[in-house]
């Protein structure tokens, strides 16, 4: 017998893979996509507009004691009055944005309108706000007023761009 070379067998190594790092990366990716998904959700206020194709749709009559008109002018000016402009139920006021300005006015008017409605058996009928932005006001002013309406929990409002002659004079005079 000849000396045949012996076959050398290699040692079998343990082929175990440590998955700790991959699990950590997976959890980080899951958290990342959950946060991105939450932050990318649209945060918008619902705006209901009338149906323009409806021939039978007419604006509803609003009692003077339940209406508040807000005029938006240039340089962040806000002028509000209650009732109709020829015979307002209170004098027009120039005010500012914020909790001591228009928000306070909205809360007071809504409380008064709810009391007035309850007195005459129409529970839950709060103030109806008519917002009239002028051509000189900016888009941010309208958004701020809509935010104030949401904070004051006022559901009924109208955005109107048509100014009467008296309203134009009122906005220009102050």
């Amino acid at each position: 017998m000849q000396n045949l070379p012996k076959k050398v067998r290699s040692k079998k190594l343990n082929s175990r893979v440590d998955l700790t790092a991959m699990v950590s990366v997976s959890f980080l990716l899951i958290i990342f996509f959950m946060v991105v998904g939450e932050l990318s959700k649209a945060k918008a206020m619902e705006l209901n507009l009338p149906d323009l194709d409806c021939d039978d749709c007419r604006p509803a009559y609003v009692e003077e004691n339940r209406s508040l008109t807000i005029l938006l002018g240039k340089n962040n000016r806000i002028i509000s009055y209650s009732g109709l402009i020829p015979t307002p139920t209170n004098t027009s006021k120039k005010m500012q944005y914020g909790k001591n300005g228009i928000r306070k006015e909205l809360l007071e008017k809504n409380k008064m309108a709810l009391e007035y409605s309850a007195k005459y058996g129409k529970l839950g009928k709060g103030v109806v706000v008519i917002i009239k932005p002028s051509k000189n006001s900016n888009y941010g002013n309208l958004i701020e007023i809509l935010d104030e309406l949401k904070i004051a929990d006022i559901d009924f409002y109208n955005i109107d761009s048509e100014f009467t002659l008296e309203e134009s004079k009122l906005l220009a005079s102050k």
Side-chain angles (χ1 to χ4, degrees), residues 47-86:
L47 182 62
N48 296 321
L49 298 172
D51 186 9
L52 296 177
D53 296 331
C54 180
D55 293 331
D56 207 25
C57 299
R58 292 183 194 93
Y61 172 74
V62 177
E63 299 164 275
E64 289 182 45
N65 296 328
R66 289 186 47 228
S67 72
L68 175 69
T69 304
I70 299 174
L71 307 175
L72 303 176
K74 64 180 175 180
N75 299 328
N76 300 329
R77 295 174 85 192
I78 306 172
I79 297 175
S80 72
Y81 66 89
S82 296
L84 301 173
I85 191 77

Side-chain angles (χ1 to χ4, degrees), residues 40-151:
S40 66
K41 286 183 182 174
K43 303 213 178 350
M45 192 167 89
E46 186 177 332
L47 182 62
N48 296 321
L49 298 172
D51 186 9
L52 296 177
D53 296 331
C54 180
D55 293 331
D56 207 25
C57 299
R58 292 183 194 93
Y61 172 74
V62 177
E63 299 164 275
E64 289 182 45
N65 296 328
R66 289 186 47 228
S67 72
L68 175 69
T69 304
I70 299 174
L71 307 175
L72 303 176
K74 64 180 175 180
N75 299 328
N76 300 329
R77 295 174 85 192
I78 306 172
I79 297 175
S80 72
Y81 66 89
S82 296
L84 301 173
I85 191 77
T87 58
T89 56
N90 68 351
T91 58
S92 58
K93 300 177 187 175
K94 180 183 176 190
M95 55 189 60
Q96 299 296 320
Y97 294 96
K99 67 178 182 179
N100 292 325
I102 190 67
R103 188 179 310 161
K104 184 178 177 183
E105 178 81 6
L106 288 170
L107 289 169
E108 287 174 5
K109 290 295 177 189
N110 196 34
K111 183 181 175 187
M112 287 173 43
L114 287 170
E115 289 171 358
Y116 172 79
S117 297
K119 183 178 176 182
Y120 293 103
K122 301 174 187 173
L123 294 176
K125 300 243 180 185
V127 69
V128 177
V129 178
I130 302 168
I131 306 166
K132 293 191 173 188
S134 70
K135 292 178 182 173
N136 298 326
S137 69
N138 59 36
Y139 184 70
N141 296 139
L142 180 62
I143 298 301
E144 286 183 47
I145 289 295
L146 291 174
D147 287 341
E148 294 292 344
L149 290 174
K150 187 75 172 172
I151 291 169

